[in-house]
Amino acid sequence: MKALTWQGVNKLQVEKVPDPRIINTRDIIVKVTKTVTCGSDLHLVGGYIPFMKAGDVLGHEFVGEVVEVGPNVTNHRVGDRVVVSSFISCGKCWYCAQELYSLCDNGNQNPAITEELWGFAPGGCFGYSHAMGGNAGSHAEYIRVPFADVGAFPIPDGVSDLRALFASDSASTGWMGADLGNVRPGDVVAVWGAGAVGQMAARAAILLGAERVIVIDRYEYRLEQVRRYIGAETLNYEQTDVGGELRERSGGRGPDVCIEAVGMEAHSPGPEFLYDQAKHQLRLQTDRPTAVREAIYNCRKGGSVFVLGVYAGVVDKFPLGAMMNKGLTVRSAQMHGQRYIPMLLERMEKGELLTEHLATHIMPLKQGPKGYELFKEKKDNCVRAVFEPSA
Ligand SMILES: NC(=O)c1ccc[n+]([C@@H]2O[C@H](COP(=O)([O-])OP(=O)(O)OC[C@H]3O[C@@H](n4cnc5c(N)ncnc54)[C@H](O)[C@@H]3O)[C@@H](O)[C@H]2O)c1
Ligand SMILES: [Zn+2]
Ligand SMILES: [Zn+2]
């Protein structure tokens, strides 16, 4: 079958790879109808997560049609339309029982790397390097979905593939940021990053009753989407003093909840950026925590910061003093999709959660390298590139 593979830093290629097959009794095979790029993939493409091998198939957000079902699968039939959580979880271990699905003890078949790096191994993810299980990704004609009764969900008739596609990851991730970031009715919430993840976090905060939600970025076309489709306020950090403006919009107190949806390749206008970028590129730090720092400094005392952006290792100049003395709660996680996808699909069906605008570029999978270039360089007002393997 055809698949989009990683060949080296910033080198992608569509090539023939073996078809997946059922390996375990709880697997299904899905014919991918739509699969989408994610900010997380950029960290792999750019070589910031150094556990890829040439030929690995990328992609972890997708919808498709079930074409084969393992003998112990009960929820799915051949022909079903499904959306699949990007993290792979068994549904039976202690972590799954706590609904901390991305921490599943059985989702990652290659735990040695992350055990060494982080003390314990989190779960596995599709198409997300050998550190996250070495699973083949979804930028392909077909994909094997392990533990399918836990991670794949039927798409209601009233929800299109394109809308459901974003339940796979960015909408679940955003919802998790607002939910576990403890957004309460009446709160002021600030979100760093107006990509799909930041937009979905902002929408979740609104649906959870936040009074004001403010999204921060520098790309006007993304901020325009936030105002138009998400219904949140915006701040362009290249044109405004973010800290001053956030205070102004929160009665002088600062936002109650700050959600960071930027990640390790953050940009910032000042000299700090050059410092962080130089250290990042020399591998003296593994991540650029610009937006995390800002979230911590600007959050109100006793408030909550949720880090949705992906980080891999150690960072420099982490404002531990501000976090400690201001009494902040700082949390983070890879997405627990299985916990949110059914509810998100219901909200999508009711029209409360719209996602189609995020798919700014829809193209055949064979144009995958071009799609990644548009997405990575934020060219042509790209928010996300969606690939259709059968087109
Ligand atoms: N926790 C999870 O499970 C999970 C799931 C999906 C994605 N992610 C991560 O979320 C992050 C965002 O993903 P995305 O797909 O929206 O990516 P994206 O690249 O489309 O968007 C990131 C946005 O952040 C903006 N940005 C950069 N520096 C900034 C700064 N200092 N202040 C404010 N905005 C800034 C960029 O301009 C861009 O619009 C990535 O790190 C990704 O890896 C995490
Ligand atoms: Zn993703
Ligand atoms: Zn589990």
Side-chain angles (χ1 to χ4, degrees), residues 37-43 60-61 86-87 128 169-170 173 176 191-199 216-219 222 237 260-269 290-291 294 306-311 332-336 375 378 382-384:
T37 59
C38 171
S40 300
D41 298 318
L42 297 181
H43 313 323
H60 56 268
E61 310 191 7
S86 62
F87 264 77
Y128 212 71
D169 186 289
S170 51
T173 303
M176 176 181 75
V191 179
W192 275 258
V197 174
Q199 292 197 29
I216 304 150
D217 204 301
R218 71 182 158 131
Y219 291 108
R222 290 179 170 224
Y237 68 81
E260 185 270 1
V262 173
M264 65 169 83
E265 292 173 66
H267 162 269
S268 65
T290 320
E294 280 194 26
F306 202 96
V307 180
L308 286 175
V310 164
Y311 293 87
S332 189
Q334 295 280 8
M335 54 81 92
H336 306 308
F375 175 54
K378 316 286 186 249
C382 185
V383 176
R384 285 284 181 99

Short mmCIF file of all heavy atoms in Angstrom, two decimals, residues 37-43 60-61 86-87 128 169-170 173 176 191-199 216-219 222 237 260-269 290-291 294 306-311 332-336 375 378 382-384, ligand 1:
data_model
loop_
_atom_site.label_atom_id
_atom_site.label_comp_id
_atom_site.label_asym_id
_atom_site.label_seq_id
_atom_site.Cartn_x
_atom_site.Cartn_y
_atom_site.Cartn_z
N THR A 37 -2.41 16.27 9.44
CA THR A 37 -1.14 16.65 10.07
C THR A 37 -1.43 17.22 11.46
O THR A 37 -2.53 17.69 11.72
CB THR A 37 -0.46 17.77 9.26
OG1 THR A 37 -1.33 18.91 9.19
CG2 THR A 37 -0.10 17.31 7.86
N CYS A 38 -0.41 17.19 12.33
CA CYS A 38 -0.57 17.73 13.68
C CYS A 38 0.74 18.42 14.06
O CYS A 38 1.81 18.01 13.60
CB CYS A 38 -0.86 16.58 14.65
SG CYS A 38 -0.82 17.05 16.39
N GLY A 39 0.64 19.42 14.92
CA GLY A 39 1.84 20.10 15.41
C GLY A 39 2.84 19.11 15.99
O GLY A 39 4.05 19.29 15.90
N SER A 40 2.33 18.02 16.56
CA SER A 40 3.22 17.00 17.13
C SER A 40 4.10 16.37 16.05
O SER A 40 5.26 16.03 16.30
CB SER A 40 2.41 15.90 17.80
OG SER A 40 1.62 16.44 18.85
N ASP A 41 3.55 16.20 14.84
CA ASP A 41 4.34 15.61 13.75
C ASP A 41 5.52 16.50 13.38
O ASP A 41 6.56 16.02 12.95
CB ASP A 41 3.47 15.41 12.51
CG ASP A 41 2.32 14.44 12.76
OD1 ASP A 41 2.56 13.42 13.43
OD2 ASP A 41 1.20 14.71 12.29
N LEU A 42 5.34 17.81 13.55
CA LEU A 42 6.42 18.72 13.17
C LEU A 42 7.66 18.46 14.03
O LEU A 42 8.78 18.61 13.57
CB LEU A 42 5.98 20.18 13.32
CG LEU A 42 4.82 20.59 12.39
CD1 LEU A 42 4.47 22.05 12.60
CD2 LEU A 42 5.18 20.32 10.94
N HIS A 43 7.44 18.07 15.29
CA HIS A 43 8.59 17.79 16.15
C HIS A 43 9.35 16.55 15.64
O HIS A 43 10.57 16.46 15.83
CB HIS A 43 8.15 17.57 17.60
CG HIS A 43 7.18 18.60 18.13
ND1 HIS A 43 7.25 19.93 17.78
CD2 HIS A 43 6.12 18.50 18.98
CE1 HIS A 43 6.25 20.59 18.40
NE2 HIS A 43 5.57 19.74 19.12
N HIS A 60 -1.16 10.28 13.12
CA HIS A 60 -1.85 9.66 14.25
C HIS A 60 -3.29 10.14 14.39
O HIS A 60 -3.97 9.78 15.33
CB HIS A 60 -1.07 9.91 15.54
CG HIS A 60 -0.83 11.37 15.82
ND1 HIS A 60 0.30 12.02 15.40
CD2 HIS A 60 -1.59 12.29 16.43
CE1 HIS A 60 0.23 13.29 15.77
NE2 HIS A 60 -0.91 13.49 16.39
N GLU A 61 -3.76 10.98 13.47
CA GLU A 61 -5.14 11.49 13.57
C GLU A 61 -5.86 11.03 12.31
O GLU A 61 -5.45 11.39 11.21
CB GLU A 61 -5.13 13.02 13.64
CG GLU A 61 -4.17 13.55 14.69
CD GLU A 61 -4.34 15.03 14.97
OE1 GLU A 61 -5.30 15.64 14.46
OE2 GLU A 61 -3.52 15.58 15.71
N SER A 86 -5.68 8.90 18.99
CA SER A 86 -4.28 8.80 18.55
C SER A 86 -3.42 8.00 19.53
O SER A 86 -2.44 7.40 19.14
CB SER A 86 -3.69 10.19 18.34
OG SER A 86 -3.69 10.91 19.55
N PHE A 87 -3.81 7.97 20.80
CA PHE A 87 -3.08 7.14 21.77
C PHE A 87 -3.73 5.77 21.87
O PHE A 87 -4.95 5.64 21.79
CB PHE A 87 -2.97 7.84 23.14
CG PHE A 87 -1.65 8.55 23.26
CD1 PHE A 87 -1.46 9.76 22.62
CD2 PHE A 87 -0.58 7.97 23.93
CE1 PHE A 87 -0.22 10.41 22.67
CE2 PHE A 87 0.66 8.60 23.99
CZ PHE A 87 0.83 9.82 23.36
N TYR A 128 4.29 7.66 15.93
CA TYR A 128 4.93 8.68 16.76
C TYR A 128 6.26 8.20 17.34
O TYR A 128 6.51 8.33 18.53
CB TYR A 128 3.97 9.21 17.85
CG TYR A 128 4.29 10.65 18.12
CD1 TYR A 128 3.98 11.62 17.17
CD2 TYR A 128 5.00 11.04 19.23
CE1 TYR A 128 4.35 12.93 17.35
CE2 TYR A 128 5.38 12.36 19.42
CZ TYR A 128 5.05 13.30 18.47
OH TYR A 128 5.43 14.61 18.63
N ASP A 169 -7.81 13.64 17.79
CA ASP A 169 -6.70 14.16 18.60
C ASP A 169 -6.88 15.62 19.02
O ASP A 169 -6.96 15.91 20.22
CB ASP A 169 -5.40 13.97 17.79
CG ASP A 169 -4.16 14.35 18.57
OD1 ASP A 169 -3.96 15.55 18.80
OD2 ASP A 169 -3.38 13.46 18.93
N SER A 170 -6.96 16.56 18.09
CA SER A 170 -6.88 17.97 18.54
C SER A 170 -8.08 18.37 19.41
O SER A 170 -7.90 19.07 20.41
CB SER A 170 -6.71 18.93 17.37
OG SER A 170 -7.66 18.68 16.40
N THR A 173 -7.62 16.66 22.77
CA THR A 173 -6.50 17.29 23.48
C THR A 173 -6.96 18.62 24.07
O THR A 173 -6.73 18.92 25.24
CB THR A 173 -5.33 17.52 22.51
OG1 THR A 173 -4.96 16.27 21.95
CG2 THR A 173 -4.14 18.14 23.21
N MET A 176 -9.25 18.14 26.97
CA MET A 176 -8.51 17.72 28.16
C MET A 176 -7.85 18.92 28.85
O MET A 176 -7.87 19.03 30.09
CB MET A 176 -7.44 16.69 27.76
CG MET A 176 -6.56 16.26 28.92
SD MET A 176 -5.30 15.09 28.41
CE MET A 176 -4.16 16.20 27.56
N VAL A 191 -5.27 31.14 26.29
CA VAL A 191 -4.73 29.99 25.56
C VAL A 191 -3.59 30.48 24.68
O VAL A 191 -3.79 31.39 23.86
CB VAL A 191 -5.83 29.34 24.68
CG1 VAL A 191 -5.25 28.16 23.90
CG2 VAL A 191 -7.03 28.90 25.50
N TRP A 192 -2.41 29.90 24.84
CA TRP A 192 -1.29 30.24 23.97
C TRP A 192 -1.29 29.29 22.77
O TRP A 192 -1.25 28.07 22.94
CB TRP A 192 0.03 30.10 24.73
CG TRP A 192 0.40 31.32 25.51
CD1 TRP A 192 1.32 32.26 25.15
CD2 TRP A 192 -0.13 31.74 26.78
NE1 TRP A 192 1.38 33.25 26.11
CE2 TRP A 192 0.50 32.96 27.12
CE3 TRP A 192 -1.10 31.23 27.65
CZ2 TRP A 192 0.22 33.66 28.29
CZ3 TRP A 192 -1.39 31.91 28.82
CH2 TRP A 192 -0.73 33.11 29.13
N GLY A 193 -1.31 29.85 21.54
CA GLY A 193 -1.30 29.04 20.33
C GLY A 193 -2.68 28.98 19.71
O GLY A 193 -3.64 28.56 20.37
N ALA A 194 -2.79 29.40 18.43
CA ALA A 194 -4.08 29.36 17.73
C ALA A 194 -4.07 28.31 16.63
O ALA A 194 -4.73 28.44 15.61
CB ALA A 194 -4.42 30.74 17.16
N GLY A 195 -3.28 27.24 16.83
CA GLY A 195 -3.37 26.08 15.94
C GLY A 195 -4.64 25.32 16.29
O GLY A 195 -5.46 25.77 17.10
N ALA A 196 -4.80 24.14 15.69
CA ALA A 196 -6.01 23.36 15.94
C ALA A 196 -6.15 23.04 17.43
O ALA A 196 -7.25 23.09 17.98
CB ALA A 196 -5.98 22.07 15.13
N VAL A 197 -5.04 22.74 18.09
CA VAL A 197 -5.12 22.35 19.51
C VAL A 197 -5.57 23.54 20.37
O VAL A 197 -6.48 23.42 21.18
CB VAL A 197 -3.77 21.77 19.98
CG1 VAL A 197 -3.80 21.50 21.48
CG2 VAL A 197 -3.45 20.49 19.22
N GLY A 198 -4.93 24.70 20.17
CA GLY A 198 -5.31 25.89 20.93
C GLY A 198 -6.77 26.27 20.66
O GLY A 198 -7.52 26.61 21.58
N GLN A 199 -7.18 26.19 19.40
CA GLN A 199 -8.57 26.55 19.06
C GLN A 199 -9.56 25.61 19.76
O GLN A 199 -10.58 26.05 20.29
CB GLN A 199 -8.78 26.50 17.54
CG GLN A 199 -8.02 27.58 16.79
CD GLN A 199 -8.57 27.78 15.37
OE1 GLN A 199 -9.75 27.55 15.11
NE2 GLN A 199 -7.72 28.22 14.47
N ILE A 216 -3.91 33.56 22.11
CA ILE A 216 -2.72 34.36 21.79
C ILE A 216 -1.91 33.68 20.68
O ILE A 216 -1.62 32.48 20.76
CB ILE A 216 -1.83 34.47 23.05
CG1 ILE A 216 -2.64 35.07 24.21
CG2 ILE A 216 -0.56 35.27 22.77
CD1 ILE A 216 -2.18 34.59 25.57
N ASP A 217 -1.56 34.44 19.65
CA ASP A 217 -0.71 33.91 18.56
C ASP A 217 -0.18 35.11 17.81
O ASP A 217 -0.44 36.26 18.20
CB ASP A 217 -1.54 32.99 17.63
CG ASP A 217 -0.67 31.97 16.88
OD1 ASP A 217 0.24 32.38 16.14
OD2 ASP A 217 -0.91 30.76 17.03
N ARG A 218 0.58 34.88 16.73
CA ARG A 218 1.01 36.03 15.93
C ARG A 218 0.46 35.97 14.52
O ARG A 218 0.63 36.90 13.73
CB ARG A 218 2.52 36.12 15.88
CG ARG A 218 3.17 35.04 15.06
CD ARG A 218 4.67 35.19 15.12
NE ARG A 218 5.29 33.94 14.79
CZ ARG A 218 6.27 33.81 13.90
NH1 ARG A 218 6.73 34.87 13.27
NH2 ARG A 218 6.79 32.63 13.66
N TYR A 219 -0.15 34.83 14.13
CA TYR A 219 -0.68 34.71 12.77
C TYR A 219 -2.11 35.21 12.73
O TYR A 219 -3.02 34.58 13.30
CB TYR A 219 -0.62 33.26 12.29
CG TYR A 219 0.79 32.79 12.04
CD1 TYR A 219 1.40 31.88 12.89
CD2 TYR A 219 1.53 33.29 10.96
CE1 TYR A 219 2.71 31.46 12.68
CE2 TYR A 219 2.84 32.87 10.74
CZ TYR A 219 3.41 31.96 11.60
OH TYR A 219 4.70 31.55 11.38
N ARG A 222 -4.97 32.86 11.69
CA ARG A 222 -5.41 31.90 12.71
C ARG A 222 -6.27 32.62 13.76
O ARG A 222 -7.29 32.08 14.21
CB ARG A 222 -4.19 31.24 13.35
CG ARG A 222 -3.49 30.30 12.38
CD ARG A 222 -2.26 29.64 12.96
NE ARG A 222 -1.80 28.60 12.05
CZ ARG A 222 -1.40 27.38 12.40
NH1 ARG A 222 -1.34 27.04 13.65
NH2 ARG A 222 -1.03 26.50 11.48
N TYR A 237 0.61 38.60 19.83
CA TYR A 237 1.72 38.92 20.75
C TYR A 237 2.80 39.77 20.10
O TYR A 237 3.67 40.27 20.79
CB TYR A 237 2.30 37.66 21.40
CG TYR A 237 3.03 36.69 20.51
CD1 TYR A 237 4.35 36.89 20.13
CD2 TYR A 237 2.41 35.53 20.08
CE1 TYR A 237 5.02 35.99 19.34
CE2 TYR A 237 3.07 34.61 19.29
CZ TYR A 237 4.38 34.84 18.92
OH TYR A 237 5.04 33.94 18.12
N GLU A 260 -1.40 26.13 27.59
CA GLU A 260 -0.31 26.29 26.64
C GLU A 260 -0.50 25.28 25.53
O GLU A 260 -0.50 24.07 25.79
CB GLU A 260 1.03 26.09 27.37
CG GLU A 260 2.23 26.35 26.51
CD GLU A 260 2.73 25.14 25.77
OE1 GLU A 260 2.12 24.04 25.89
OE2 GLU A 260 3.72 25.26 25.06
N ALA A 261 -0.69 25.73 24.29
CA ALA A 261 -0.90 24.83 23.15
C ALA A 261 0.09 25.20 22.05
O ALA A 261 -0.29 25.41 20.90
CB ALA A 261 -2.34 24.91 22.66
N VAL A 262 1.34 25.30 22.42
CA VAL A 262 2.39 25.73 21.48
C VAL A 262 3.43 24.63 21.29
O VAL A 262 3.67 24.17 20.18
CB VAL A 262 3.07 27.02 21.99
CG1 VAL A 262 4.26 27.39 21.11
CG2 VAL A 262 2.06 28.18 22.02
N GLY A 263 4.07 24.22 22.38
CA GLY A 263 5.02 23.12 22.28
C GLY A 263 6.46 23.56 22.14
O GLY A 263 6.80 24.74 22.24
N MET A 264 7.30 22.57 21.91
CA MET A 264 8.75 22.73 22.04
C MET A 264 9.41 23.60 20.97
O MET A 264 10.58 23.93 21.09
CB MET A 264 9.40 21.36 22.02
CG MET A 264 9.23 20.65 20.69
SD MET A 264 10.24 19.18 20.57
CE MET A 264 9.23 17.98 21.41
N GLU A 265 8.65 23.93 19.90
CA GLU A 265 9.26 24.77 18.87
C GLU A 265 8.75 26.20 18.93
O GLU A 265 8.69 26.90 17.92
CB GLU A 265 9.00 24.16 17.49
CG GLU A 265 9.72 22.84 17.30
CD GLU A 265 9.35 22.14 16.01
OE1 GLU A 265 9.69 22.67 14.95
OE2 GLU A 265 8.71 21.08 16.07
N ALA A 266 8.43 26.64 20.13
CA ALA A 266 7.82 27.96 20.30
C ALA A 266 8.68 29.07 19.72
O ALA A 266 9.90 28.98 19.67
CB ALA A 266 7.61 28.22 21.79
N HIS A 267 8.00 30.12 19.32
CA HIS A 267 8.64 31.32 18.81
C HIS A 267 8.40 32.43 19.82
O HIS A 267 7.42 32.39 20.57
CB HIS A 267 7.99 31.66 17.46
CG HIS A 267 8.23 33.06 17.02
ND1 HIS A 267 7.37 34.09 17.33
CD2 HIS A 267 9.24 33.60 16.31
CE1 HIS A 267 7.85 35.21 16.82
NE2 HIS A 267 8.98 34.95 16.20
N SER A 268 9.28 33.42 19.88
CA SER A 268 8.97 34.63 20.64
C SER A 268 9.74 35.79 20.04
O SER A 268 10.78 35.58 19.42
CB SER A 268 9.30 34.46 22.12
OG SER A 268 10.68 34.32 22.27
N PRO A 269 9.21 37.00 20.19
CA PRO A 269 9.81 38.12 19.47
C PRO A 269 11.16 38.57 20.04
O PRO A 269 12.03 38.97 19.32
CB PRO A 269 8.76 39.23 19.59
CG PRO A 269 7.77 38.80 20.59
CD PRO A 269 7.99 37.37 20.91
N THR A 290 9.17 28.70 25.78
CA THR A 290 8.76 30.10 25.81
C THR A 290 7.33 30.31 26.31
O THR A 290 7.08 31.13 27.19
CB THR A 290 8.85 30.70 24.39
OG1 THR A 290 10.02 30.17 23.78
CG2 THR A 290 8.86 32.20 24.40
N ALA A 291 6.40 29.59 25.72
CA ALA A 291 4.99 29.82 26.04
C ALA A 291 4.66 29.29 27.44
O ALA A 291 3.80 29.84 28.13
CB ALA A 291 4.09 29.18 24.99
N GLU A 294 5.61 32.00 29.79
CA GLU A 294 4.64 33.10 29.77
C GLU A 294 3.36 32.74 30.52
O GLU A 294 2.79 33.56 31.23
CB GLU A 294 4.28 33.46 28.33
CG GLU A 294 5.33 34.33 27.71
CD GLU A 294 4.81 34.96 26.41
OE1 GLU A 294 3.58 35.13 26.26
OE2 GLU A 294 5.65 35.26 25.58
N PHE A 306 -2.13 24.54 32.28
CA PHE A 306 -2.11 23.21 31.67
C PHE A 306 -1.23 23.24 30.42
O PHE A 306 -1.47 24.01 29.50
CB PHE A 306 -3.52 22.72 31.32
CG PHE A 306 -3.54 21.22 31.22
CD1 PHE A 306 -3.94 20.43 32.29
CD2 PHE A 306 -3.09 20.57 30.07
CE1 PHE A 306 -3.89 19.04 32.23
CE2 PHE A 306 -3.04 19.18 30.00
CZ PHE A 306 -3.45 18.42 31.08
N VAL A 307 -0.23 22.38 30.41
CA VAL A 307 0.71 22.31 29.27
C VAL A 307 0.23 21.23 28.31
O VAL A 307 0.36 20.04 28.59
CB VAL A 307 2.14 22.01 29.77
CG1 VAL A 307 3.11 21.94 28.60
CG2 VAL A 307 2.59 23.09 30.77
N LEU A 308 -0.33 21.67 27.17
CA LEU A 308 -0.75 20.72 26.13
C LEU A 308 0.35 20.53 25.11
O LEU A 308 0.42 19.49 24.45
CB LEU A 308 -1.99 21.25 25.40
CG LEU A 308 -3.32 21.20 26.14
CD1 LEU A 308 -4.41 21.86 25.31
CD2 LEU A 308 -3.70 19.76 26.47
N GLY A 309 1.18 21.54 24.91
CA GLY A 309 2.27 21.45 23.93
C GLY A 309 3.18 20.29 24.28
O GLY A 309 3.35 19.96 25.45
N VAL A 310 3.74 19.66 23.24
CA VAL A 310 4.59 18.48 23.48
C VAL A 310 6.02 18.92 23.78
O VAL A 310 6.58 19.78 23.08
CB VAL A 310 4.53 17.52 22.27
CG1 VAL A 310 5.68 16.52 22.30
CG2 VAL A 310 3.20 16.77 22.27
N TYR A 311 6.58 18.35 24.81
CA TYR A 311 7.99 18.55 25.20
C TYR A 311 8.63 17.18 25.35
O TYR A 311 7.94 16.21 25.66
CB TYR A 311 8.07 19.35 26.52
CG TYR A 311 7.57 20.76 26.28
CD1 TYR A 311 6.22 21.06 26.40
CD2 TYR A 311 8.44 21.74 25.83
CE1 TYR A 311 5.74 22.32 26.09
CE2 TYR A 311 7.97 23.01 25.53
CZ TYR A 311 6.62 23.29 25.65
OH TYR A 311 6.16 24.53 25.32
N SER A 332 -0.12 18.57 33.03
CA SER A 332 0.15 18.31 31.63
C SER A 332 -0.22 16.88 31.30
O SER A 332 -0.40 16.07 32.22
CB SER A 332 1.64 18.53 31.37
OG SER A 332 1.89 18.49 29.99
N ALA A 333 -0.34 16.56 30.03
CA ALA A 333 -0.55 15.16 29.63
C ALA A 333 -0.59 15.06 28.11
O ALA A 333 -0.89 16.03 27.42
CB ALA A 333 -1.87 14.62 30.18
N GLN A 334 -0.26 13.89 27.62
CA GLN A 334 -0.67 13.52 26.27
C GLN A 334 -2.17 13.22 26.38
O GLN A 334 -2.68 12.91 27.45
CB GLN A 334 0.08 12.27 25.80
CG GLN A 334 1.58 12.46 25.64
CD GLN A 334 1.96 13.16 24.34
OE1 GLN A 334 1.10 13.65 23.59
NE2 GLN A 334 3.25 13.23 24.08
N MET A 335 -2.85 13.29 25.24
CA MET A 335 -4.30 13.27 25.31
C MET A 335 -4.91 11.92 25.75
O MET A 335 -4.45 10.86 25.34
CB MET A 335 -4.91 13.72 23.98
CG MET A 335 -4.43 12.97 22.77
SD MET A 335 -5.29 11.42 22.60
CE MET A 335 -6.62 11.88 21.56
N HIS A 336 -5.93 12.03 26.58
CA HIS A 336 -6.68 10.83 26.99
C HIS A 336 -7.93 10.75 26.11
O HIS A 336 -9.06 10.95 26.58
CB HIS A 336 -7.08 10.95 28.46
CG HIS A 336 -5.93 11.21 29.38
ND1 HIS A 336 -4.79 10.43 29.38
CD2 HIS A 336 -5.71 12.17 30.32
CE1 HIS A 336 -3.94 10.89 30.30
NE2 HIS A 336 -4.46 11.94 30.87
N PHE A 375 2.09 23.23 6.03
CA PHE A 375 1.72 23.25 7.45
C PHE A 375 2.89 23.73 8.31
O PHE A 375 2.74 24.59 9.17
CB PHE A 375 1.27 21.84 7.86
CG PHE A 375 0.96 21.69 9.32
CD1 PHE A 375 0.07 22.54 9.97
CD2 PHE A 375 1.56 20.69 10.07
CE1 PHE A 375 -0.21 22.39 11.32
CE2 PHE A 375 1.29 20.53 11.42
CZ PHE A 375 0.41 21.39 12.05
N LYS A 378 3.65 27.36 7.74
CA LYS A 378 2.45 28.18 7.87
C LYS A 378 2.26 29.02 6.59
O LYS A 378 2.01 30.23 6.63
CB LYS A 378 2.51 29.10 9.10
CG LYS A 378 3.03 28.43 10.38
CD LYS A 378 2.03 27.48 11.02
CE LYS A 378 2.44 26.90 12.36
NZ LYS A 378 2.75 25.47 12.39
N CYS A 382 -2.19 28.09 6.00
CA CYS A 382 -2.47 26.70 6.38
C CYS A 382 -2.66 26.56 7.89
O CYS A 382 -1.87 27.05 8.68
CB CYS A 382 -1.32 25.80 5.93
SG CYS A 382 -1.65 24.05 6.23
N VAL A 383 -3.73 25.89 8.28
CA VAL A 383 -3.91 25.52 9.69
C VAL A 383 -3.63 24.03 9.85
O VAL A 383 -2.86 23.61 10.70
CB VAL A 383 -5.33 25.88 10.20
CG1 VAL A 383 -5.54 25.40 11.64
CG2 VAL A 383 -5.52 27.40 10.14
N ARG A 384 -4.22 23.21 9.00
CA ARG A 384 -3.95 21.78 8.98
C ARG A 384 -4.07 21.29 7.54
O ARG A 384 -4.94 21.75 6.81
CB ARG A 384 -4.95 21.01 9.84
CG ARG A 384 -4.76 21.12 11.36
CD ARG A 384 -3.60 20.28 11.82
NE ARG A 384 -3.36 20.31 13.25
CZ ARG A 384 -3.77 19.38 14.13
NH1 ARG A 384 -4.50 18.38 13.71
NH2 ARG A 384 -3.46 19.47 15.40
N1 LIG B 1 -0.93 16.90 24.66
C1 LIG B 1 -1.30 16.25 23.57
O1 LIG B 1 -1.83 15.14 23.64
C2 LIG B 1 -1.14 16.89 22.24
C3 LIG B 1 -1.93 16.47 21.16
C4 LIG B 1 -1.79 17.15 19.95
C5 LIG B 1 -0.88 18.16 19.82
N2 LIG B 1 -0.11 18.51 20.90
C6 LIG B 1 0.86 19.59 20.82
O2 LIG B 1 0.17 20.82 20.84
C7 LIG B 1 1.00 21.82 20.21
C8 LIG B 1 0.16 22.58 19.19
O3 LIG B 1 -0.27 21.71 18.15
P1 LIG B 1 -0.98 22.33 16.85
O4 LIG B 1 -1.32 21.20 15.96
O5 LIG B 1 -2.03 23.29 17.22
O6 LIG B 1 0.30 23.08 16.23
P2 LIG B 1 0.48 24.34 15.26
O7 LIG B 1 1.91 24.34 14.87
O8 LIG B 1 -0.54 24.34 14.18
O9 LIG B 1 0.16 25.59 16.21
C9 LIG B 1 1.04 26.13 17.13
C10 LIG B 1 0.76 27.60 17.20
O10 LIG B 1 1.52 28.17 18.27
C11 LIG B 1 1.88 29.49 17.86
N3 LIG B 1 3.00 29.98 18.70
C12 LIG B 1 4.33 29.77 18.58
N4 LIG B 1 4.99 30.41 19.55
C13 LIG B 1 4.06 31.04 20.32
C14 LIG B 1 4.12 31.85 21.48
N5 LIG B 1 5.28 32.12 22.07
N6 LIG B 1 2.95 32.35 21.99
C15 LIG B 1 1.75 32.04 21.41
N7 LIG B 1 1.64 31.29 20.31
C16 LIG B 1 2.78 30.78 19.77
C17 LIG B 1 2.23 29.32 16.41
O11 LIG B 1 2.24 30.56 15.73
C18 LIG B 1 1.14 28.37 15.94
O12 LIG B 1 0.02 29.05 15.43
C19 LIG B 1 2.17 21.05 19.61
O13 LIG B 1 3.30 21.09 20.48
C20 LIG B 1 1.68 19.64 19.57
O14 LIG B 1 2.75 18.72 19.63
C21 LIG B 1 -0.25 17.89 22.08
#
